Amino acid sequence: MTLTHIFSRTKRYTLLLLTLLPLYTLAQPREAKETDKNLLKAALKGWHVRLGAGLSMGGTSPLPLPAEIRKIESYKPTLCIALEGDVQKKFTDRWGMMVGVRFENKGMKTDATVKNYHMEAVNVDGSGTVVGAWTGRVKTEVNNTYLTFPILATYTLNSRWQIMAGPYVAWMMSGDFKGEAYDGYIRDQNPTGEKAEVTRATYDFSDDLRRFHWGVQAGAEFKAYKHLAVNLNLQWGLNGIFPSDFGSVTFALYPIYGTLGFSYLF
């Protein structure tokens, strides 16, 4: 291929690029306008789109607190972030429905004093697994990540306030449930078994966590500006984080968390 041919092709490609560039530039605002038109059409039909984020705080707890847990020595919430997208349909001036998808994590750290608390843990002195009724201190760390789908009924109180409530379903994408037992003793198998002093033993039940969760959610939203709302809601899990046949934890633990956040209203 001669230099003349290369120069000729380069010239043609350059002219083609200069011809298409203005068309591409003009197309960008047009696409944005089309998106705005679609959102406007949806809003006029009663559909409203929103994107939001928030911070959650709560715990994974038995209800009621079992007699084996004598005292909560400390509770530390972890950083729990929620990112959510929702669509809302208004059926009347007051009533509507909101469905969404939320990516969130729920976690905490606790330290408790227990007595005759069923425990299965690995002794750090290398003597193996200990199973039985534990009396002493127990530290627990929970950190679970969920993909959650709320389905809520909404009620508009006025131009600024609305309340909402309904069920949710969630899929646990990843989870950690681990901790340690320390400064105590264990009785073999049951409270009347042989007593053995244990300095420290660790446990990790992360692989035994339940994947599918469901519960209820309720909250309120304040429309601070035309496109910005502040919301507060409570999520209460109705099935435990472990399967019902899981024997290492003898009572159900329910995730109960509150979220304070904001939403951008399109």
Side-chain angles (χ1 to χ4, degrees):
M1 184 179 291
T2 66
L3 289 175
T4 303
H5 289 146
I6 294 173
F7 177 77
S8 178
R9 283 194 173 187
T10 303
K11 185 177 179 181
R12 286 202 302 271
Y13 291 150
T14 303
L15 289 174
L16 179 61
L17 179 62
L18 291 174
T19 303
L20 294 176
L21 185 60
L23 296 177
Y24 175 79
T25 305
L26 289 172
Q28 295 305 304
R30 189 173 303 167
E31 290 177 1
K33 289 179 181 179
E34 288 298 324
T35 301
D36 291 342
K37 285 181 181 179
N38 291 334
L39 289 172
L40 180 60
K41 288 179 181 178
L44 291 175
K45 292 179 180 179
W47 290 98
H48 300 273
V49 181
R50 63 186 65 209
L51 294 175
L55 295 175
S56 301
M57 187 173 71
T60 303
S61 174
L63 291 174
L65 206 64
E68 294 93 332
I69 301 178
R70 296 305 174 94
K71 184 181 179 182
I72 304 295
E73 301 290 348
S74 69
Y75 160 77
K76 296 179 181 179
T78 59
L79 180 63
C80 299
I81 298 174
L83 303 174
E84 184 168 355
D86 301 287
V87 291
Q88 182 179 4
K89 170 72 173 178
K90 297 291 289 282
F91 299 113
T92 69
D93 291 339
R94 298 281 188 182
W95 289 98
M97 184 178 111
M98 184 186 298
V99 295
V101 57
R102 181 169 65 241
F103 176 81
E104 61 186 342
N105 69 299
K106 297 177 177 180
M108 66 166 192
K109 296 179 180 180
T110 63
D111 190 350
T113 297
V114 302
K115 184 175 182 179
N116 293 330
Y117 182 93
H118 180 76
M119 176 62 63
E120 296 182 18
V122 178
N123 207 329
V124 296
D125 65 6
S127 59
T129 302
V130 293
V131 180
W134 169 259
T135 297
R137 300 283 289 271
V138 175
K139 285 184 179 179
T140 302
E141 181 177 349
V142 182
N143 188 15
N144 299 334
T145 302
Y146 299 93
L147 195 61
T148 303
F149 302 90
I151 306 168
L152 310 174
T154 64
Y155 184 79
T156 303
L157 298 173
N158 51 47
S159 60
R160 295 252 184 199
W161 285 96
Q162 79 168 353
I163 55 177
M164 64 278 291
Y168 71 81
V169 295
W171 181 257
M172 191 194 73
M173 303 171 66
S174 64
D176 286 319
F177 188 98
K178 57 189 178 181
E180 63 179 70
Y182 66 102
D183 290 350
Y185 62 88
I186 193 166
R187 291 191 178 274
D188 187 38
Q189 301 301 326
N190 59 64
T192 61
E194 183 180 351
K195 180 180 176 180
E197 299 291 336
V198 177
T199 303
R200 182 169 170 264
T202 62
Y203 61 89
D204 189 343
F205 302 140
S206 303
D207 293 337
D208 302 296
L209 289 165
R210 186 197 301 269
R211 289 287 180 176
F212 177 76
H213 295 258
W214 65 281
V216 293
Q217 175 178 322
E221 179 182 87
F222 174 72
K223 188 175 181 181
Y225 300 98
K226 182 179 179 181
H227 293 289
L228 183 67
V230 180
N231 45 68
L232 177 67
N233 64 69
L234 174 69
Q235 307 111 43
W236 195 299
L238 295 179
N239 63 339
I241 65 170
F242 292 107
S244 57
D245 59 353
F246 181 64
S248 297
V249 178
T250 56
F251 42 78
L253 296 168
Y254 302 98
I256 305 168
Y257 286 79
T259 303
L260 176 63
F262 68 91
S263 297
Y264 183 83
L265 313 176
F266 288 90

